[in-house]
């Protein structure tokens, strides 16, 4: 079993601690948003507090994903050193995982998908107790994978021809 260090605690169930922390942070954020009577455009202390809680969630997910990336075996074309950043957009229920260009392999194949799957699973285990993610977007040096593998990009939808 692995020992995971989470906010000063070492345990064999590190992920449970992280999930509990994530749930606590986001529950406080949701409660503070629901309890505020100010319009959404106003920067109230409650909405500022909510933004802080989401920033803490981003940091927690980023740290976990960086550890995973650092331990992953590299496939052809990937750099040894890769940086990761996670950003949750609660309004869109979206998670964006940004990786450095060095994470892009020579071939966009099943080995690459397996590596991404590890990241997706870990991120969702941390976030899901507080927010159901509907969209996961990966970016590599700010660009989608189709920028590096245009042949794998979905073909454009045919336009309906007027009769």
């Amino acid at each position: 079993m692995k020992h995971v260090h989470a906010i000063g605690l070492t345990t064999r169930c590190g992920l449970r601690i992280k999930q509990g922390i994530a749930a606590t942070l986001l529950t406080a954020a949701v409660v503070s948003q629901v309890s505020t009577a100010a319009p959404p455009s106003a920067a109230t202390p409650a909405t500022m507090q909510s933004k802080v809680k989401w920033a803490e969630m981003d940091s927690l997910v980023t740290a976990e994903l960086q550890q995973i990336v650092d331990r992953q075996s590299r496939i052809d074309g990937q750099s040894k050193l890769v940086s990761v950043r996670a950003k949750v957009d609660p309004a869109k229920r979206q998670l964006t995982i940004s990786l450095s260009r060095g994470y892009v392999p020579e071939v966009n194949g099943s080995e690459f998908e397996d590596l991404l799957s590890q990241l997706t699973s870990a991120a969702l285990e941390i976030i899901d107790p507080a927010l159901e993610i509907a969209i996961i977007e990966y970016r590599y040096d700010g660009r989608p994978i189709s920028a590096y593998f245009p042949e794998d990009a979905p073909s454009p939808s045919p336009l309906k021809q007027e009769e």
Side-chain angles (χ1 to χ4, degrees):
M1 294 216 146
K2 290 189 244 179
H3 292 296
V4 179
H5 185 72
I7 307 184
L9 301 175
T10 301
T11 179
R12 291 177 187 244
C13 302
L15 191 53
R16 284 197 185 134
I17 289 173
K18 289 179 184 178
Q19 287 174 334
I21 293 167
T24 302
L25 291 174
L26 292 179
T27 300
V30 169
V31 167
S32 68
Q33 280 186 330
V34 170
S35 64
T36 182
S41 61
T44 64
T47 57
M48 293 304 293
Q49 187 178 30
S50 174
K51 288 179 183 180
V52 168
K53 299 300 181 189
W54 284 109
E56 289 172 1
M57 175 60 77
D58 292 346
S59 295
L60 184 65
V61 174
T62 295
E64 180 66 20
L65 295 183
Q66 187 67 62
Q67 287 180 7
I68 292 168
V69 167
D70 291 346
R71 289 190 310 256
Q72 286 178 327
S73 297
R74 296 294 184 248
I75 57 179
D76 290 341
Q78 287 185 319
S79 300
K80 186 171 185 158
L81 297 176
V82 174
S83 63
V84 183
R85 195 181 96 247
K87 178 77 175 130
V88 177
D89 183 338
K92 294 180 182 176
R93 294 181 25 223
Q94 178 174 335
L95 168 65
T96 301
I97 299 174
S98 299
L99 297 131
S100 56
R101 167 68 173 93
Y103 200 73
V104 178
E106 287 179 11
V107 176
N108 184 11
S110 61
E111 286 180 297
F112 185 51
E113 289 177 15
D114 289 344
L115 295 177
L116 295 177
S117 177
Q118 292 173 16
L119 299 178
T120 299
S121 295
L124 291 179
E125 284 187 45
I126 295 169
I127 298 167
D128 270 349
L131 178 71
E132 185 178 331
I133 296 295
I135 302 166
I136 299 175
E137 177 180 69
Y138 280 91
R139 292 289 187 177
Y140 309 89
D141 201 26
R143 302 166 66 192
I145 196 66
S146 60
Y148 301 97
F149 299 100
E151 66 277 7
D152 294 342
S155 55
S157 312
L159 296 175
K160 292 184 179 179
Q161 295 179 347
E162 292 189 31
E163 297 177 21

